[in-house]
Amino acid sequence: GAVVSQHPSWVICKSGTSVKIECRSLDFQATTMFWYRQFPKQSLMLMATSNEGSKATYEQGVEKDKFLINHASLTLSTLTVTSAHPEDSSFYICSASTGTQYFGPGTRLTVL
Amino acid sequence: AQSVTQPDIHITVSEGASLELRCNYSYGATPYLFWYVQSPGQGLQLLLKYFSGDTLVQGIKGFEAEFKRSQSSFNLRKPSVHWSDAAEYFCAVGAGVGNEKLTFGTGTRLTIIP
């Protein structure tokens, strides 16, 4: 139980394009989902908290217009990286919470 | 503000040896504590969690952790490690249901030698 999926698992895109990453809780519903960014050999950095039916809450320093988050249902949240640039290349991980956070497998984004 | 310290960046142990990974937290109230494991290129898997009750918590894969309030610690242990335990381990602290944001430690990388 408590399985979270992410799609795609990896994506390569050109600079200036937008990329959408999906996060789904497969066997449970989650009012709250979280989006993290992880740089190589570093810990997870929380980007935003996503609540179903309301606007996401972004952490300080995270550009909300660049990282668009939509939490359309209790099982789906999406992160769209708009006008991606090479510095946005990273490993993005989502989690879905029932009081305990369950993590997806991550999405590797490479911007050329 | 809550914080987590994992003092050991990298630990190497022999297969079959015992393991202890250290975690110290700072939090004003009773914390919700977690240990997660991350294999290379993967997401995080929950090993165990402590919310309340028995301070010795059993988790998956033979891991256990002990909550010691007096020492603000939540160390992870395993009596005998396997080569498949090689991974990155993260300790995290949270405020609990209703405020589920987690603060993660910087992680401890575990290497297993034959």
Side-chain angles (χ1 to χ4, degrees):
Chain A
V3 178
V4 178
S5 70
Q6 278 184 245
H7 178 80
S9 55
W10 61 272
V11 56
I12 301 174
C13 69
K14 292 182 178 180
S15 185
T17 61
S18 295
V19 174
K20 179 184 285 188
I21 303 170
E22 291 187 349
C23 176
R24 293 181 184 270
S25 56
L26 298 184
D27 51 1
F28 66 102
Q29 294 182 330
T31 304
T32 304
M33 291 185 173
F34 299 88
W35 287 95
Y36 296 85
R37 184 172 181 176
Q38 187 179 33
F39 293 101
K41 300 186 186 299
Q42 294 189 25
S43 188
L44 281 72
M45 181 190 79
L46 179 65
M47 300 175 65
T49 303
S50 169
N51 290 295
E52 187 266 340
S54 63
K55 291 183 177 180
T57 302
Y58 291 82
E59 295 299 300
Q60 190 173 9
V62 178
E63 299 175 61
K64 62 180 181 181
D65 294 330
K66 180 167 188 62
F67 298 99
L68 300 179
I69 292 172
N70 181 268
H71 196 151
S73 74
L74 291 173
T75 60
L76 173 64
S77 177
T78 60
L79 168 68
T80 301
V81 183
T82 63
S83 187
H85 290 283
E87 57 266 30
D88 298 323
S89 298
S90 191
F91 193 56
Y92 292 89
I93 307 177
C94 73
S95 71
S97 184
T98 62
T100 296
Q101 289 189 34
Y102 297 95
F103 286 80
T107 296
R108 174 78 56 195
L109 170 63
T110 300
V111 185
L112 302 178
Chain B
Q2 58 203 46
S3 66
V4 177
T5 301
Q6 293 182 247
D8 304 305
I9 297 173
H10 184 202
I11 284 183
T12 300
V13 298
S14 298
E15 189 168 15
S18 64
L19 171 71
E20 182 169 30
L21 302 182
R22 295 184 290 167
C23 172
N24 292 97
Y25 69 90
S26 174
Y27 187 67
T30 299
Y32 285 58
L33 295 161
F34 305 83
W35 274 101
Y36 288 90
V37 60
Q38 184 182 34
S39 297
Q42 301 295 314
L44 277 67
Q45 181 182 22
L46 178 68
L47 285 176
L48 47 79
K49 60 187 178 184
Y50 171 78
F51 286 177
S52 64
D54 192 346
T55 56
L56 184 62
V57 180
Q58 301 298 319
I60 63 171
K61 302 185 179 185
F63 286 92
E64 66 177 26
E66 186 171 12
F67 171 59
K68 293 185 177 180
R69 184 187 300 274
S70 62
Q71 298 177 20
S72 297
S73 69
F74 189 57
N75 294 348
L76 182 71
R77 300 193 295 251
K78 187 170 184 178
S80 176
V81 298
H82 186 261
W83 64 266
S84 60
D85 293 324
E88 189 87 19
Y89 291 79
F90 292 97
C91 181
V93 63
V97 176
N99 183 4
E100 297 158 3
K101 189 187 297 188
L102 292 179
T103 299
F104 283 86
T106 50
T108 296
R109 182 160 62 93
L110 176 64
T111 297
I112 308 294
I113 55 177

